[in-house]
């Protein structure tokens, strides 16, 4: 028996004002019933973390996550936010390796390793994102790229540390494009990711890690994706900005 959780995480990216963030969080929590078993992670911009945390505070199985953290714990890094700051506002998850961080901020494997170490030191679960570009898929390099992205980072962690991870498979060509991976493509890659985790650690570690799908997942396609045996939930961008859509995704298991 695996201990995998069903998880839906909403990455709000750089959207909303404080007032809008509060309303959205209230609309989401009001629609989800108390006994819902799905782990729900709301990932707002940094300035709204505390407000969203307060809004979800009495709601079971709701958590807040951050979109990034720095590689250091404190110091002269103007404009940056550390994992221990995130912990101090009640943050329990952090996105690491998102394709937008890779593409626009040129973050590399070495950054992800340091950031994940900082997150773990502060009891924050890393949601480590991996995914291939359209060019890499079209040239049949997607399995190779995913293997490299996973191996470079995971080999730096122990089994115990890795047990705190969530993985997110996010094909870059599907993020914000409206073009979703088919359920067959998602299942194929999620099963492959589990095989790589088996190679790095072992099969029981692989069976227990939650792997989320991300990339234009929405209220219409979530159910089919979540039916795949190796898809444990979704990392949702655009569709997490509308309460009705996000809640429909939560109810899609
Ligand atoms: C994301 O940015 O993680 C994401 C999955 O975005 P979208 O759902 O908008 O494709």
């Amino acid at each position: 028996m695996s201990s995998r959780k069903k998880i839906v995480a909403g990455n709000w990216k750089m959207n909303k004002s404080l007032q809008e963030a509060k309303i959205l969080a209230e609309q989401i929590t009001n629609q989800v019933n108390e006994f819902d078993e799905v782990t729900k992670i709301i990932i707002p911009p940094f300035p709204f973390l505390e407000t969203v945390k307060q809004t979800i505070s009495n709601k079971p199985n709701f958590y807040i996550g951050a979109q990034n953290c720095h590689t250091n714990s404190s110091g002269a890094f103007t404009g940056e936010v550390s994992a221990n700051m995130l912990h101090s506002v009640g943050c329990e998850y952090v996105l690491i390796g998102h394709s937008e961080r890779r593409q626009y901020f040129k973050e590399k494997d070495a950054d992800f390793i340091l950031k994940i170490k900082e997150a773990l030191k502060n009891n924050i679960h890393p949601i480590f994102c991996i995914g291939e570009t359209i060019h890499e898929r079209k040239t049949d390099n997607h399995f190779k790229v995913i293997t490299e992205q996973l191996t470079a980072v995971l080999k730096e962690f122990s089994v115990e540390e890795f047990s705190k991870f969530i993985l997110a498979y996010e094909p870059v060509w599907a993020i914000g494009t409206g073009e979703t991976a088919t359920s067959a493509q998602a299942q194929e890659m999620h099963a492959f990711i589990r095989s790589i985790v088996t190679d790095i650690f072992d099969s029981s570690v692989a069976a227990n890690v939650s792997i989320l799908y991300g990339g234009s997942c929405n209220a219409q396609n979530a159910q089919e994706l979540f039916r795949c045996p190796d898809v444990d939930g979704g990392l949702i961008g655009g569709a997490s900005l509308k309460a009705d859509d996000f809640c429909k995704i939560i109810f899609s298991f």
Side-chain angles (χ1 to χ4, degrees):
M1 268 292 283
S2 88
S3 61
R4 293 207 309 261
K5 288 181 183 150
K6 297 173 179 173
I7 301 170
V8 174
N11 173 14
W12 291 2
K13 309 194 186 190
M14 198 172 73
N15 291 295
K16 304 287 177 191
S17 65
L18 177 63
Q19 292 73 20
E20 289 166 343
K22 191 170 184 322
I23 291 169
L24 178 56
E26 281 168 356
Q27 287 172 337
I28 293 167
T29 49
N30 286 342
Q31 283 190 47
V32 178
N33 101 37
E34 301 283 310
F35 306 106
D36 186 80
E37 59 172 341
V38 179
T39 296
K40 294 154 291 271
I41 307 167
I42 299 189
I43 309 177
F46 291 136
F48 312 151
L49 278 168
E50 229 189 317
T51 298
V52 174
K53 174 80 180 173
Q54 277 164 17
T55 309
I56 63 164
S57 61
N58 293 323
K59 301 288 176 175
N61 238 350
F62 268 94
Y63 303 90
I64 53 165
Q67 297 175 19
N68 184 28
C69 70
H70 194 252
T71 52
N72 285 271
S73 29
S74 63
F77 300 100
T78 302
E80 292 294 326
V81 172
S82 68
N84 65 350
M85 292 173 181
L86 295 174
H87 175 70
S88 74
V89 295
C91 198
E92 287 169 87
Y93 295 87
V94 63
L95 293 179
I96 305 286
H98 192 280
S99 70
E100 288 152 17
R101 302 294 315 175
R102 294 175 189 260
Q103 187 182 347
Y104 304 134
F105 302 94
K106 307 294 171 222
E107 291 187 5
K108 302 274 181 263
D109 299 335
D111 303 303
F112 307 144
I113 293 163
L114 291 173
K115 287 177 180 215
I116 293 173
K117 287 193 186 287
E118 278 300 308
L120 294 175
K121 226 180 1 180
N122 289 283
N123 282 321
I124 296 177
H125 298 273
I127 304 175
F128 179 50
C129 307
I130 51 178
E132 81 283 359
T133 63
I134 190 64
H135 175 73
E136 288 159 348
R137 181 163 277 264
K138 283 193 166 154
T139 53
D140 220 13
N141 278 308
H142 44 306
F143 294 117
K144 179 172 167 278
V145 167
I146 293 296
T147 304
E148 286 168 359
Q149 290 179 351
L150 272 175
T151 310
V153 172
L154 268 49
K155 69 179 174 50
E156 301 299 323
F157 294 92
S158 66
V159 169
E160 199 198 331
E161 288 170 323
F162 184 68
S163 69
K164 310 283 192 305
F165 278 53
I166 294 171
L167 298 178
Y169 169 57
E170 299 207 298
V172 180
W173 47 271
I175 296 182
T177 59
E179 190 183 343
T180 319
T182 63
S183 54
Q185 287 172 323
Q187 171 55 29
E188 179 185 42
M189 188 55 92
H190 281 229
F192 179 75
I193 291 167
R194 251 181 248 290
S195 77
I196 299 298
V197 175
T198 300
D199 292 346
I200 298 170
F201 298 108
D202 64 45
S203 57
S204 79
V205 173
N208 283 316
V209 63
S210 292
I211 309 177
L212 312 184
Y213 169 79
S216 297
C217 182
N218 58 38
Q220 284 71 46
N221 58 32
Q223 194 166 42
E224 198 184 330
L225 287 159
F226 294 177
R227 262 196 216 124
C228 300
D230 286 294
V231 175
D232 303 306
L235 176 53
I236 318 298
S240 71
L241 295 170
K242 291 196 183 122
D244 286 356
D245 288 3
F246 190 60
C247 291
K248 276 190 196 135
I249 295 170
I250 293 168
F251 301 140
S252 293
F253 286 98

